[in-house]
Amino acid sequence: MPRITHVEVTDVRFPTSLSMDGSDAMNKDGDYSAAYVALRTDDPAVSGFGFTFTIGRGNDVCVLAAQRRAEPLIGREVAAVVGDLGGTYRDLASDSQLRWLGPDKGVEHLAMAAVMNAVWDLAARVADKPLWRLLVEMPAADLVDACDFTYLSDAITREEAIAMLESTRAGRDERLALLEQHGYPCYTTSAGWLGYSDDKLRRLCAEAVAEGYDHIKLKVGADLEDDVRRCTIAREVIGWDRHLMIDANQVWDVPQAIEWVDRLAEFKPLWIEEPTSPDDILGHATIRRAVAPIGVATGEHGMNRVLFKQMFQAEALDFCQLDSARLASINEIVPVYLMARKFGVPVCPHAGGVGLCELVQHLSIFDFLAVSATLENRVTEFVDHLHEHFVDPCIVEDGAYRLPTTAGYSAEMHAASVAAYAYPDGAYWSSSAQVAG
Amino acid sequence: MPRITHVEVTDVRFPTSLSMDGSDAMNKDGDYSAAYVALRTDDPAVSGFGFTFTIGRGNDVCVLAAQRRAEPLIGREVAAVVGDLGGTYRDLASDSQLRWLGPDKGVEHLAMAAVMNAVWDLAARVADKPLWRLLVEMPAADLVDACDFTYLSDAITREEAIAMLESTRAGRDERLALLEQHGYPCYTTSAGWLGYSDDKLRRLCAEAVAEGYDHIKLKVGADLEDDVRRCTIAREVIGWDRHLMIDANQVWDVPQAIEWVDRLAEFKPLWIEEPTSPDDILGHATIRRAVAPIGVATGEHGMNRVLFKQMFQAEALDFCQLDSARLASINEIVPVYLMARKFGVPVCPHAGGVGLCELVQHLSIFDFLAVSATLENRVTEFVDHLHEHFVDPCIVEDGAYRLPTTAGYSAEMHAASVAAYAYPDGAYWSSSAQVAG
């Protein structure tokens, strides 16, 4: 019976700012990074991997927080940790001194996400299943009891949650067969980063169409005339039968968001993403009423389940873009999916960064099989960067994620990548040509 | 012309968990702590001090974040830093990589609070004024331009803010004379910590009455029968002409809060404080409608100005209890005061912990002189702990804060205290008798 013997947390940073990959109106020069957690046991064949995603500076702060947060796991039996995933979560989350630093937000919550992502990866490996299958095959009551419903009882109860999961058993095999054949539909953001030239934008949009994408997303919000020109180029290339989404990455106040989106309405975007502060529930509701039928999407900075509860209650969202490395892993993500279904909001998870695509494919598959049971208005983000660093990278074909088949949460990085991009001492960063981030 | 030469950030922890000081239904065993920032210059007579408050574990994470956040200040001229307090704030706050870890919440925001509190202390020292006087005497436009109004324009504009501050010039001298005579009214939480025995509660309530307090606060929420018994004792001692407040420290879901408060309504509390998640704007609004005329108070975990904006817009609060070490110092606190006035909500700042009383006295005085111009429904928290560690401790007499007269933000700790309680290497913590926190 293996025990967890130590926890390795590594500050891994990739120099994405050099190529303007990931550039948008708010995040001009991100170095895509991970506070990368490896739970090691006394059995060399048994480990769990997880991470939270950041964009460079401050990744060291998340590393320290994750080390501290994971310490109570050391010495525990693996069977006990993965045999009570709710208890493990509550035990780590309920540290009454660490709670003061949130609760449930910012660095400490990112650290919880990193550690619990590794715990769920470990659980799926022990069960010898890809995570999506572990979730789908868990008895509904067990999954619900692993969830954190604290502060949610005015929106959803344990009994409702169980009934919701059980109601989707009918047709699950057929839906699985559909996914095995066609994959889970995704869209690409790779074409539309703000730092790319018009020529590069035009070329990447054309490539995306050729690769089978029906949805393409552009970054907007830095300069209105630029946005008009870039949307014009995108529509010229993708036509009007495909969907165009726009993403402002939080640069606007509420009145400005309404005005700016109004100016871009002629391009008929499916959604405006992150029009304002990710904390502004009432602001999103105001914007949504003003810009309809353009949808409002947000969630990659959605800090916790209480925020999403209110987004649903206030009818502030058309698309929920929860983040797999910002919410505190499955224990908090599943309640958001369940509330989304109850309030009738499709979940289109945020991805990109480093490793987020590897994680969210499991979530979307779980959603279709066990929660929403529909693909209507659902499409999951895909960005074609940095997958080469993962042992079990996601596979996208014809605009859809193929089903992962390897046991775990697809979160393990190649040891060589971790070593090379460890900050500041890895081979890449310590070479004299690199400027410290 | 002095320059900032280095930044010292110290992990200072006091072993308050040993005496159950500060115990409540959520925070059972806090060790009151500070991530303590000293901005040093090449002039030994010129320094600035600030901190954020935590309750023990995780203080090291805040220390690391504050070190990183303050780094850009090193090498700058003091005159430039304090001569453009808005520019200094925006420069530190706008790090596009660190922003990902919030934005504006959790550890990174606490670190911003610590650093900017030290910058404002430095500014007041350079001006040779206590902070409250620096704020009151700044031209209204200068103070407003130091403020962060990002994401607030749907609630308040720069022009409204300036007009509001200018409108309070009339009568300011009379109000100052009133404060100089009577001080700023406060209430005590020292009597009502949950870990205290009934006898100790009875004795402390009687002492508080004897010391001139008209408001007394009890912690509730762990056990309903205990709460009934403790409220009964408190009312026996303080009578019905004084105010009793109750504080649940976030332990309830929304429906449970309504039910529990209903059971304590017979004790006619002035407010129920922190009935549920500090993030739950709509939940507070629901509770407020249900428990009226008992007021709803929250804010010590209010993460940023966007949260408070929505609390006001949703009519969720009767009392705003902003925190001087959680909001990003004056640059973010003043906008909350201005919105509170516009929406007609009194601000009764959170204090206690370590050093918070020293800070909030300046805020309340500023509010009365320059923003609200009234004391109606306003009372500032006071907890009589740990003041001996401060060079310029607050002075409370007859249930009121006396006006600070020394230059600065009253944030400086005695060097001997910092040395003794530095964690883990200070004399107190390294002595063999102490258990690591």
Side-chain angles (χ1 to χ4, degrees):
Chain A
M1 189 63 73
R3 284 180 188 275
I4 294 174
T5 52
H6 57 294
V7 178
E8 299 161 9
V9 189
T10 311
D11 184 344
V12 182
R13 305 193 195 187
F14 299 97
T16 45
S17 61
L18 299 180
S19 54
M20 298 294 278
D21 296 344
S23 57
D24 61 51
M26 184 64 84
N27 311 294
K28 293 175 175 54
D29 59 351
D31 283 325
Y32 283 177
S33 302
Y36 180 69
V37 175
L39 303 176
R40 301 295 186 182
T41 75
D42 44 20
D43 179 347
V46 179
S47 295
F49 303 93
F51 56 85
T52 190
F53 165 64
T54 81
I55 63 171
R57 284 184 294 280
N59 202 46
D60 51 345
V61 180
C62 292
V63 165
L64 177 60
Q67 284 168 334
R68 293 274 184 278
R69 187 66 77 166
E71 270 165 17
L73 294 175
I74 296 171
R76 294 193 190 181
E77 283 190 1
V78 169
V81 168
V82 306
D84 181 8
L85 289 156
T88 299
Y89 167 93
R90 285 187 290 276
D91 195 41
L92 298 187
S94 68
D95 183 305
S96 68
Q97 295 187 351
L98 291 179
R99 189 182 186 281
W100 188 267
L101 308 182
D104 298 345
K105 59 181 67 72
V107 165
E108 284 294 334
H109 211 53
L110 294 168
M112 261 303 281
V115 175
M116 286 307 306
N117 279 342
V119 168
W120 280 95
D121 181 67
L122 180 64
R125 286 164 185 267
V126 168
D128 197 26
K129 297 174 184 176
L131 181 76
W132 64 263
R133 187 181 289 279
L134 174 72
L135 299 180
V136 169
E137 294 182 355
M138 274 175 87
D142 290 0
L143 181 57
V144 166
D145 288 340
C147 291
D148 186 353
F149 284 98
T150 315
Y151 300 133
L152 302 185
S153 67
D154 54 329
I156 192 168
T157 65
R158 177 175 182 277
E159 292 64 36
E160 278 179 293
I162 292 171
M164 211 177 275
L165 289 166
E166 286 180 342
S167 73
T168 60
R169 291 203 179 280
R172 198 174 284 178
D173 292 343
E174 292 75 9
R175 292 196 299 279
L176 178 56
L178 191 88
L179 288 185
E180 283 173 335
Q181 189 177 354
H182 297 291
Y184 193 98
C186 62
Y187 72 89
T188 180
T189 307
S190 300
W193 300 113
L194 212 54
Y196 289 176
S197 68
D198 288 357
D199 284 348
K200 187 167 182 178
L201 170 67
R202 189 182 298 274
R203 174 171 58 79
L204 291 173
C205 283
E207 285 176 15
V209 170
E211 286 164 17
Y213 289 102
D214 286 328
H215 299 72
I216 284 175
K217 192 165 84 183
L218 295 195
K219 300 291 184 173
V220 298
D223 180 277
L224 183 56
E225 296 318 311
D226 284 351
D227 290 349
V228 168
R229 193 183 68 254
R230 287 157 44 80
C231 285
T232 304
I233 291 171
R235 276 296 182 204
E236 282 171 11
V237 179
I238 72 170
W240 294 87
D241 292 335
R242 294 185 185 82
H243 292 292
L244 177 68
M245 293 93 90
I246 56 175
D247 182 356
N249 289 90
Q250 315 170 19
V251 293
W252 301 316
D253 273 31
V254 172
Q256 190 187 15
I258 294 169
E259 199 178 324
W260 199 301
V261 173
D262 196 50
R263 289 288 306 277
L264 299 178
E266 61 176 303
F267 300 102
K268 298 193 185 305
L270 175 65
W271 74 51
I272 171 64
E273 179 171 333
E274 291 205 301
T276 190
S277 164
D279 306 330
D280 198 345
I281 299 145
L282 302 177
H284 280 85
T286 300
I287 293 167
R288 180 170 181 256
R289 287 190 297 271
V291 305
I294 298 169
V296 167
T298 195
E300 72 185 63
H301 267 92
M303 60 186 175
N304 61 32
R305 66 201 176 281
V306 178
L307 181 98
F308 284 106
K309 177 185 78 166
Q310 295 175 84
M311 286 283 188
F312 299 139
Q313 289 172 325
E315 301 183 359
L317 290 188
D318 295 280
F319 300 93
C320 167
Q321 301 178 303
L322 62 80
D323 186 287
S324 58
R326 190 177 293 276
L327 294 178
S329 197
I330 300 304
N331 310 77
E332 190 175 35
I333 289 171
V334 169
V336 175
Y337 269 104
L338 294 166
M339 289 190 290
R341 168 166 161 190
K342 179 167 171 182
F343 286 85
V345 177
V347 180
C348 303
H350 171 243
V354 54
L356 299 180
C357 299
E358 276 66 28
L359 302 187
V360 300
Q361 57 181 342
H362 292 270
L363 304 179
S364 290
I365 294 162
F366 163 72
D367 179 37
F368 182 53
L369 296 178
V371 183
S372 70
T374 176
L375 295 175
E376 195 182 343
N377 286 323
R378 283 159 176 85
V379 63
T380 296
E381 190 165 17
F382 173 67
V383 185
D384 195 7
H385 286 151
L386 303 173
H387 303 289
E388 64 274 21
H389 300 295
F390 287 81
V391 172
D392 180 31
C394 63
I395 297 168
V396 165
E397 290 172 2
D398 297 329
Y401 282 99
R402 307 305 308 174
L403 267 61
T405 56
T406 308
Y409 201 177
S410 309
E412 185 181 3
M413 288 189 193
H414 289 297
S417 293
V418 175
Y421 290 96
Y423 183 87
D425 297 325
Y428 177 83
W429 292 106
S430 59
S431 82
S432 61
Q434 312 311 329
V435 177
Chain B
M1 189 62 74
R3 284 179 188 275
I4 295 174
T5 52
H6 57 293
V7 179
E8 299 161 10
V9 189
T10 311
D11 183 344
V12 183
R13 305 193 194 187
F14 298 98
T16 45
S17 60
L18 299 179
S19 55
M20 300 291 279
D21 297 343
S23 58
D24 62 52
M26 183 64 83
N27 311 294
K28 293 176 174 57
D29 59 351
D31 284 325
Y32 282 178
S33 303
Y36 180 69
V37 174
L39 304 176
R40 302 295 187 182
T41 75
D42 44 20
D43 180 347
V46 179
S47 295
F49 303 92
F51 56 85
T52 191
F53 165 65
T54 83
I55 62 171
R57 284 184 294 280
N59 202 47
D60 51 344
V61 181
C62 291
V63 165
L64 177 60
Q67 284 169 334
R68 292 275 184 276
R69 187 66 76 165
E71 271 165 16
L73 294 175
I74 296 170
R76 294 192 190 182
E77 283 190 0
V78 169
V81 168
V82 305
D84 181 8
L85 289 155
T88 299
Y89 168 93
R90 285 187 290 275
D91 196 40
L92 298 186
S94 67
D95 183 304
S96 68
Q97 294 187 351
L98 292 179
R99 189 181 186 281
W100 187 268
L101 308 181
D104 297 346
K105 59 179 69 70
V107 165
E108 284 294 334
H109 210 54
L110 294 168
M112 260 305 278
V115 175
M116 285 307 304
N117 279 342
V119 168
W120 280 94
D121 181 67
L122 180 65
R125 287 164 184 266
V126 168
D128 197 26
K129 297 175 185 176
L131 182 77
W132 63 264
R133 187 180 288 279
L134 176 71
L135 299 180
V136 168
E137 295 182 354
M138 274 175 88
D142 290 0
L143 181 56
V144 166
D145 288 340
C147 291
D148 187 353
F149 285 98
T150 316
Y151 300 133
L152 302 185
S153 67
D154 54 329
I156 192 167
T157 65
R158 177 177 183 275
E159 292 64 36
E160 278 179 293
I162 292 172
M164 211 178 274
L165 289 166
E166 285 181 344
S167 73
T168 60
R169 291 205 179 279
R172 198 174 282 177
D173 292 343
E174 293 75 10
R175 292 195 299 279
L176 178 55
L178 190 89
L179 288 184
E180 284 175 334
Q181 190 178 354
H182 297 290
Y184 193 99
C186 63
Y187 72 89
T188 180
T189 308
S190 300
W193 300 114
L194 212 55
Y196 288 176
S197 70
D198 288 357
D199 283 349
K200 187 167 182 178
L201 170 66
R202 190 182 297 274
R203 174 170 59 77
L204 292 173
C205 284
E207 286 176 13
V209 170
E211 286 165 16
Y213 289 101
D214 285 329
H215 299 73
I216 283 173
K217 193 165 82 183
L218 296 194
K219 299 293 183 174
V220 298
D223 179 277
L224 183 57
E225 296 318 311
D226 284 351
D227 290 349
V228 169
R229 194 182 68 254
R230 288 158 43 79
C231 285
T232 303
I233 292 171
R235 276 295 182 204
E236 283 171 10
V237 179
I238 72 169
W240 295 86
D241 292 336
R242 293 185 187 81
H243 292 291
L244 178 67
M245 293 93 90
I246 56 175
D247 182 357
N249 290 89
Q250 316 169 19
V251 292
W252 300 317
D253 274 31
V254 172
Q256 191 187 13
I258 293 168
E259 200 178 323
W260 198 302
V261 173
D262 196 48
R263 290 286 307 276
L264 299 178
E266 60 176 302
F267 300 103
K268 297 195 187 305
L270 175 64
W271 74 53
I272 171 65
E273 179 171 334
E274 291 205 302
T276 190
S277 163
D279 307 330
D280 198 346
I281 298 144
L282 302 178
H284 281 84
T286 300
I287 293 166
R288 181 170 182 256
R289 287 190 296 271
V291 305
I294 298 169
V296 168
T298 197
E300 73 186 62
H301 267 92
M303 61 185 172
N304 60 33
R305 66 201 175 281
V306 178
L307 181 97
F308 284 106
K309 177 185 79 167
Q310 294 175 84
M311 286 283 188
F312 300 138
Q313 289 172 325
E315 301 183 359
L317 290 188
D318 294 280
F319 301 92
C320 167
Q321 301 178 303
L322 62 82
D323 186 287
S324 58
R326 191 176 292 277
L327 294 178
S329 196
I330 301 303
N331 310 76
E332 189 175 35
I333 289 171
V334 168
V336 175
Y337 269 104
L338 294 166
M339 288 191 290
R341 166 162 164 194
K342 179 168 173 182
F343 287 85
V345 177
V347 180
C348 304
H350 171 244
V354 53
L356 299 180
C357 299
E358 276 65 29
L359 301 187
V360 299
Q361 57 181 342
H362 292 272
L363 304 179
S364 290
I365 295 162
F366 162 72
D367 179 36
F368 182 52
L369 296 179
V371 183
S372 70
T374 176
L375 295 175
E376 195 182 343
N377 287 324
R378 283 159 176 83
V379 62
T380 297
E381 189 163 17
F382 173 66
V383 186
D384 195 6
H385 286 151
L386 304 174
H387 303 291
E388 65 274 21
H389 299 296
F390 287 81
V391 172
D392 179 30
C394 63
I395 297 169
V396 165
E397 290 173 2
D398 298 330
Y401 282 100
R402 307 304 307 174
L403 268 61
T405 56
T406 308
Y409 200 178
S410 308
E412 186 182 2
M413 287 190 192
H414 289 297
S417 294
V418 175
Y421 291 96
Y423 183 88
D425 296 325
Y428 176 84
W429 293 107
S430 59
S431 83
S432 61
Q434 312 312 329
V435 177

